[in-house]
Short mmCIF file of all heavy atoms in Angstrom, two decimals:
data_model
loop_
_atom_site.label_atom_id
_atom_site.label_comp_id
_atom_site.label_asym_id
_atom_site.label_seq_id
_atom_site.Cartn_x
_atom_site.Cartn_y
_atom_site.Cartn_z
N ALA A 1 -66.32 14.04 -38.58
CA ALA A 1 -65.69 14.36 -37.30
C ALA A 1 -66.60 15.21 -36.43
O ALA A 1 -67.48 15.93 -36.92
CB ALA A 1 -64.37 15.08 -37.54
N ASN A 2 -66.39 15.14 -35.14
CA ASN A 2 -67.13 15.99 -34.20
C ASN A 2 -66.80 17.46 -34.45
O ASN A 2 -65.66 17.80 -34.76
CB ASN A 2 -66.75 15.62 -32.76
CG ASN A 2 -67.18 14.21 -32.40
OD1 ASN A 2 -68.26 13.77 -32.76
ND2 ASN A 2 -66.31 13.50 -31.69
N ARG A 3 -67.79 18.30 -34.32
CA ARG A 3 -67.60 19.74 -34.53
C ARG A 3 -67.27 20.43 -33.20
O ARG A 3 -67.77 20.06 -32.15
CB ARG A 3 -68.86 20.37 -35.12
CG ARG A 3 -69.26 19.82 -36.50
CD ARG A 3 -68.21 20.16 -37.53
NE ARG A 3 -68.54 19.63 -38.84
CZ ARG A 3 -68.95 20.37 -39.87
NH1 ARG A 3 -69.10 21.68 -39.73
NH2 ARG A 3 -69.20 19.81 -41.03
N ALA A 4 -66.42 21.44 -33.29
CA ALA A 4 -66.10 22.24 -32.11
C ALA A 4 -67.14 23.36 -31.99
O ALA A 4 -67.30 24.16 -32.91
CB ALA A 4 -64.69 22.83 -32.23
N ASP A 5 -67.84 23.40 -30.89
CA ASP A 5 -68.84 24.44 -30.63
C ASP A 5 -68.13 25.60 -29.92
O ASP A 5 -67.73 25.48 -28.76
CB ASP A 5 -69.95 23.88 -29.75
CG ASP A 5 -71.10 24.87 -29.55
OD1 ASP A 5 -70.87 26.09 -29.75
OD2 ASP A 5 -72.20 24.43 -29.17
N ILE A 6 -67.95 26.71 -30.63
CA ILE A 6 -67.17 27.81 -30.06
C ILE A 6 -67.80 28.40 -28.81
O ILE A 6 -67.11 29.03 -28.00
CB ILE A 6 -66.93 28.93 -31.10
CG1 ILE A 6 -68.28 29.54 -31.56
CG2 ILE A 6 -66.13 28.43 -32.28
CD1 ILE A 6 -68.09 30.78 -32.41
N PHE A 7 -69.11 28.19 -28.63
CA PHE A 7 -69.77 28.72 -27.44
C PHE A 7 -69.60 27.81 -26.23
O PHE A 7 -69.94 28.18 -25.11
CB PHE A 7 -71.26 28.94 -27.72
CG PHE A 7 -71.50 29.98 -28.79
CD1 PHE A 7 -71.91 29.60 -30.06
CD2 PHE A 7 -71.27 31.32 -28.53
CE1 PHE A 7 -72.12 30.55 -31.05
CE2 PHE A 7 -71.47 32.28 -29.52
CZ PHE A 7 -71.89 31.89 -30.78
N LYS A 8 -69.07 26.62 -26.47
CA LYS A 8 -68.85 25.68 -25.37
C LYS A 8 -67.37 25.42 -25.11
O LYS A 8 -67.02 24.70 -24.18
CB LYS A 8 -69.55 24.35 -25.66
CG LYS A 8 -71.08 24.48 -25.70
CD LYS A 8 -71.73 23.14 -25.96
CE LYS A 8 -73.26 23.28 -25.98
NZ LYS A 8 -73.92 21.97 -26.26
N ILE A 9 -66.50 26.01 -25.93
CA ILE A 9 -65.07 25.82 -25.74
C ILE A 9 -64.63 26.54 -24.47
O ILE A 9 -64.96 27.71 -24.27
CB ILE A 9 -64.28 26.37 -26.95
CG1 ILE A 9 -64.55 25.50 -28.19
CG2 ILE A 9 -62.78 26.40 -26.66
CD1 ILE A 9 -63.92 26.05 -29.46
N PRO A 10 -63.90 25.87 -23.60
CA PRO A 10 -63.41 26.55 -22.39
C PRO A 10 -62.33 27.57 -22.74
O PRO A 10 -61.88 27.65 -23.89
CB PRO A 10 -62.84 25.40 -21.55
CG PRO A 10 -62.45 24.37 -22.57
CD PRO A 10 -63.47 24.47 -23.67
N ALA A 11 -61.90 28.31 -21.76
CA ALA A 11 -60.81 29.27 -21.98
C ALA A 11 -59.59 28.54 -22.53
O ALA A 11 -59.24 27.46 -22.06
CB ALA A 11 -60.48 29.98 -20.67
N LEU A 12 -58.96 29.14 -23.52
CA LEU A 12 -57.79 28.53 -24.13
C LEU A 12 -56.54 29.01 -23.40
O LEU A 12 -56.32 30.22 -23.28
CB LEU A 12 -57.72 28.89 -25.62
CG LEU A 12 -58.96 28.49 -26.45
CD1 LEU A 12 -58.76 28.89 -27.90
CD2 LEU A 12 -59.22 26.99 -26.34
N THR A 13 -55.73 28.08 -22.94
CA THR A 13 -54.55 28.42 -22.16
C THR A 13 -53.28 27.90 -22.82
O THR A 13 -53.31 26.93 -23.59
CB THR A 13 -54.64 27.84 -20.74
OG1 THR A 13 -54.73 26.40 -20.84
CG2 THR A 13 -55.86 28.37 -20.01
N PHE A 14 -52.16 28.54 -22.50
CA PHE A 14 -50.87 28.17 -23.08
C PHE A 14 -49.80 28.23 -22.00
O PHE A 14 -49.82 29.13 -21.15
CB PHE A 14 -50.52 29.11 -24.24
CG PHE A 14 -51.61 29.22 -25.26
CD1 PHE A 14 -52.53 30.26 -25.22
CD2 PHE A 14 -51.74 28.27 -26.25
CE1 PHE A 14 -53.56 30.35 -26.14
CE2 PHE A 14 -52.77 28.35 -27.18
CZ PHE A 14 -53.67 29.39 -27.13
N ASP A 15 -48.90 27.27 -22.04
CA ASP A 15 -47.86 27.23 -21.02
C ASP A 15 -46.57 26.67 -21.62
O ASP A 15 -46.59 25.96 -22.64
CB ASP A 15 -48.32 26.34 -19.86
CG ASP A 15 -47.48 26.53 -18.61
OD1 ASP A 15 -46.66 27.47 -18.58
OD2 ASP A 15 -47.65 25.74 -17.67
N THR A 16 -45.46 27.01 -21.02
CA THR A 16 -44.16 26.49 -21.44
C THR A 16 -43.99 25.06 -20.93
O THR A 16 -44.29 24.79 -19.76
CB THR A 16 -43.02 27.37 -20.90
OG1 THR A 16 -43.22 28.70 -21.34
CG2 THR A 16 -41.68 26.86 -21.37
N PRO A 17 -43.51 24.14 -21.75
CA PRO A 17 -43.27 22.77 -21.27
C PRO A 17 -42.25 22.74 -20.14
O PRO A 17 -41.36 23.58 -20.06
CB PRO A 17 -42.73 22.05 -22.50
CG PRO A 17 -43.16 22.88 -23.67
CD PRO A 17 -43.19 24.29 -23.18
N ASP A 18 -42.37 21.75 -19.27
CA ASP A 18 -41.41 21.53 -18.19
C ASP A 18 -40.30 20.62 -18.74
O ASP A 18 -40.40 19.40 -18.68
CB ASP A 18 -42.12 20.89 -17.00
CG ASP A 18 -41.20 20.66 -15.81
OD1 ASP A 18 -39.98 20.79 -15.98
OD2 ASP A 18 -41.71 20.32 -14.73
N PHE A 19 -39.25 21.24 -19.26
CA PHE A 19 -38.17 20.48 -19.89
C PHE A 19 -37.38 19.65 -18.89
O PHE A 19 -36.75 18.66 -19.26
CB PHE A 19 -37.23 21.44 -20.63
CG PHE A 19 -37.79 22.03 -21.87
CD1 PHE A 19 -38.50 23.22 -21.83
CD2 PHE A 19 -37.61 21.40 -23.10
CE1 PHE A 19 -39.02 23.78 -23.00
CE2 PHE A 19 -38.12 21.94 -24.26
CZ PHE A 19 -38.83 23.14 -24.22
N ASP A 20 -37.38 20.04 -17.62
CA ASP A 20 -36.60 19.32 -16.61
C ASP A 20 -37.29 18.02 -16.21
O ASP A 20 -36.65 16.96 -16.15
CB ASP A 20 -36.38 20.21 -15.38
CG ASP A 20 -35.51 21.41 -15.69
OD1 ASP A 20 -34.59 21.27 -16.53
OD2 ASP A 20 -35.74 22.48 -15.11
N THR A 21 -38.58 18.10 -15.94
CA THR A 21 -39.32 16.90 -15.55
C THR A 21 -39.50 15.95 -16.72
O THR A 21 -39.31 14.74 -16.59
CB THR A 21 -40.69 17.28 -14.96
OG1 THR A 21 -40.50 18.14 -13.83
CG2 THR A 21 -41.47 16.04 -14.54
N PHE A 22 -39.86 16.51 -17.87
CA PHE A 22 -40.13 15.69 -19.06
C PHE A 22 -38.95 15.83 -20.03
O PHE A 22 -39.04 16.49 -21.07
CB PHE A 22 -41.44 16.13 -19.70
CG PHE A 22 -42.61 16.00 -18.77
CD1 PHE A 22 -43.04 17.08 -18.00
CD2 PHE A 22 -43.26 14.78 -18.61
CE1 PHE A 22 -44.11 16.95 -17.11
CE2 PHE A 22 -44.33 14.64 -17.73
CZ PHE A 22 -44.75 15.73 -16.98
N LYS A 23 -37.84 15.20 -19.66
CA LYS A 23 -36.59 15.43 -20.39
C LYS A 23 -36.53 14.78 -21.76
O LYS A 23 -35.60 15.04 -22.53
CB LYS A 23 -35.39 15.00 -19.55
CG LYS A 23 -35.32 13.53 -19.20
CD LYS A 23 -34.08 13.28 -18.33
CE LYS A 23 -33.94 11.82 -17.95
NZ LYS A 23 -32.73 11.59 -17.12
N CYS A 24 -37.52 13.95 -22.10
CA CYS A 24 -37.56 13.38 -23.46
C CYS A 24 -37.61 14.47 -24.52
O CYS A 24 -37.09 14.29 -25.62
CB CYS A 24 -38.74 12.44 -23.61
SG CYS A 24 -38.48 10.80 -22.91
N LEU A 25 -38.25 15.57 -24.19
CA LEU A 25 -38.36 16.67 -25.15
C LEU A 25 -36.99 17.22 -25.49
O LEU A 25 -36.65 17.43 -26.67
CB LEU A 25 -39.26 17.76 -24.57
CG LEU A 25 -39.76 18.87 -25.49
CD1 LEU A 25 -40.39 18.31 -26.75
CD2 LEU A 25 -40.76 19.75 -24.75
N ASN A 26 -36.16 17.43 -24.48
CA ASN A 26 -34.80 17.91 -24.71
C ASN A 26 -33.93 16.87 -25.40
O ASN A 26 -33.07 17.20 -26.22
CB ASN A 26 -34.15 18.31 -23.38
CG ASN A 26 -34.26 19.81 -23.11
OD1 ASN A 26 -34.39 20.60 -24.04
ND2 ASN A 26 -34.23 20.18 -21.85
#
């Protein structure tokens, strides 16, 4: 498998899913 280069990884971000728009999740 391809290796993850920690020096090239972009900023890691996290967000809450949009349950209203993507209602399949609910």
Side-chain angles (χ1 to χ4, degrees):
N2 295 319
R3 298 295 179 107
D5 185 340
I6 62 171
F7 296 106
K8 294 182 180 179
I9 292 175
L12 303 181
T13 60
F14 307 96
D15 196 9
T16 302
D18 182 349
F19 288 89
D20 294 326
T21 301
F22 301 94
K23 63 181 180 180
C24 280
L25 193 51
N26 264 335

